[in-house]
């Protein structure tokens, strides 16, 4: 089965309502689905003005629907505001906000239960790669975060391989290095959930994706798309990424 390349923007803590509406209206001519994860504060306003090919997502949720959890938002709340997916397990949440695999697992279960798709991020540090422990680190993250998920639940997951040393560094993984890691992740999913689920699963790459490296990345057999941080903030740069990623489909 050949898949359409999936391009997902991760805006992190950027953009006001007006800036975001300007941006998505600039994507009006798009003919392929494009995903943007944005701050929850702007989701609703953007959802009222976005073109149909743009799908909105959140960047975090808590694992309860409501209650005394000051400062948190629930899956139901971001969905109500227009989100169709949520990014979970991003390395910034793991490192700055001390989220571990067990917390991420609870968030994944809750997000799926509420009807959100999930982009699960996994990735190793530079010292883990240098110590040749990348496979072990990723295996632990994947198996603990996706613990006992059903086949049906797995179909709502996109796995994002984001080597931490490549995020925001300007030094992406080479296409070959990313492909090797993606192949390893797909083999791991196949072992646990079977070959068909592994084949259908989107495994996307993130970390310093730019217009000039996206095509080579998505040409790799096991790289089904990209999760784009810094380069998704400027509309012209992001459009170039979408176009260059799309070349492989044509
Ligand atoms: P970057 O971020 O493209 O700025 O490296 C990617 C991410 O953190 O998802």
């Amino acid at each position: 089965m050949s898949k359409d390349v999936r391009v997902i923007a991760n805006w992190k803590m950027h953009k006001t309502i007006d800036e975001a509406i300007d941006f998505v209206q600039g994507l009006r001519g798009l003919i392929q689905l494009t995903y943007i994860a944005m701050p929850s504060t702007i989701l609703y306003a953007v959802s009222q003005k976005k073109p149909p090919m743009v799908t909105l997502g959140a960047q975090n949720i808590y694992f309860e629907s409501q209650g005394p959890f000051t400062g948190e938002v629930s899956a139901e709340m971001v969905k109500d505001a227009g989100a169709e997916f949520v990014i979970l397990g991003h390395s910034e949440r793991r490192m700055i906000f001390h989220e571990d695999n067990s917390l991420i697992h609870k968030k994944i279960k809750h997000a799926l239960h509420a009807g959100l798709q999930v982009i699960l991020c996994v990735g190793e540090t530079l010292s883990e790669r240098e110590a040749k422990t990348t496979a072990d680190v990723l295996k632990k993250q994947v198996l603990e975060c996706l613990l006992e998920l059903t086949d049906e639940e797995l179909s709502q997951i996109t796995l994002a391989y984001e080597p931490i040393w490549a995020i925001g560094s300007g030094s992406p993984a080479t296409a070959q290095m990313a492909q090797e890691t993606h192949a390893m992740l797909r083999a791991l999913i196949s072992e646990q959930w079977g070959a068909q689920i592994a084949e259908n699963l989107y495994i996307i790459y993130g970390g310093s994706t730019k217009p000039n490296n996206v095509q080579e990345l998505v040409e790799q057999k096991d790289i089904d798309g990209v999760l784009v941080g810094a380069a998704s903030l400027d509309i012209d740069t992001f459009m170039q990424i979408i176009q260059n990623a799309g070349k492989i489909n044509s």
Side-chain angles (χ1 to χ4, degrees):
M1 185 197 74
S2 84
K3 307 185 185 106
D4 286 339
V5 173
R6 193 168 281 175
V7 176
I8 305 178
N10 176 11
W11 279 355
K12 307 191 179 181
M13 200 170 73
H14 292 283
K15 295 205 189 288
T16 61
I17 291 172
D18 285 350
E19 288 167 350
I21 288 175
D22 270 1
F23 189 106
V24 296
Q25 294 203 330
L27 298 176
R28 251 192 308 245
L30 275 186
I31 49 166
Q32 63 274 59
L33 262 185
T34 299
Y35 300 75
I36 307 179
M38 56 188 56
S40 317
T41 48
I42 64 177
L43 269 171
Y44 182 71
V46 177
S47 74
Q48 300 303 298
K49 305 271 178 159
K50 75 172 186 69
M53 296 310 273
V54 176
T55 301
L56 307 185
Q59 303 172 1
N60 186 30
I61 48 125
Y62 192 57
F63 62 79
E64 298 282 354
S65 303
Q66 57 182 36
F69 305 105
T70 301
E72 294 295 311
V73 291
S74 70
E76 288 83 351
M77 288 169 179
V78 297
K79 194 167 176 223
D80 186 45
E84 294 180 47
F85 71 94
V86 60
I87 295 179
L88 293 172
H90 192 281
S91 62
E92 286 152 15
R93 298 241 31 115
R94 291 177 190 263
M95 297 176 84
I96 305 171
F97 302 101
H98 310 294
E99 295 197 6
D100 62 14
N101 292 332
S102 120
L103 176 63
I104 296 162
H105 175 250
K106 286 188 194 155
K107 290 186 173 191
I108 291 174
K109 289 291 284 186
H110 188 74
L112 294 173
H113 181 73
L116 292 175
Q117 297 199 22
V118 170
I119 318 294
L120 168 63
C121 301
V122 297
E124 81 286 2
T125 62
L126 185 58
S127 57
E128 286 163 344
R129 178 156 283 269
E130 285 172 351
K132 302 202 185 318
T133 56
T134 300
D136 295 340
V137 169
L138 297 183
K139 184 170 181 184
K140 186 171 160 61
Q141 290 176 352
V142 168
L143 295 186
E144 290 184 7
C145 290
L146 300 181
L147 185 70
E148 291 173 2
L149 256 59
T150 64
D151 294 1
E152 170 64 26
E153 287 173 322
L154 246 285
S155 72
Q156 300 305 307
I157 302 275
T158 294
L159 191 56
Y161 169 55
E162 296 210 306
I164 295 168
W165 45 271
I167 295 177
S169 67
S171 306
T174 63
Q176 188 196 351
M177 189 190 280
Q179 163 57 27
E180 278 167 19
T181 312
H182 281 228
M184 186 269 288
L185 287 168
R186 203 178 299 282
L188 174 64
I189 297 292
S190 179
E191 254 171 54
Q192 300 291 321
W193 283 276
Q196 192 59 51
I197 298 229
E199 192 188 324
N200 292 346
L201 180 73
Y202 270 82
I203 307 182
I204 64 174
Y205 168 82
S208 297
T209 307
K210 299 279 181 308
N212 65 6
N213 66 359
V214 66
Q215 193 180 347
E216 195 187 357
L217 284 162
V218 298
E219 274 168 2
Q220 306 303 311
K221 177 171 171 291
D222 289 294
I223 303 183
D224 303 316
V226 283
L227 180 55
V228 188
S232 72
L233 293 172
D234 172 72
I235 179 101
D236 295 331
T237 313
F238 189 54
M239 282 296 278
Q240 276 173 16
I241 288 183
I242 295 170
Q243 275 159 10
N244 292 352
K247 280 185 188 153
I248 160 151
N249 291 331
S250 52

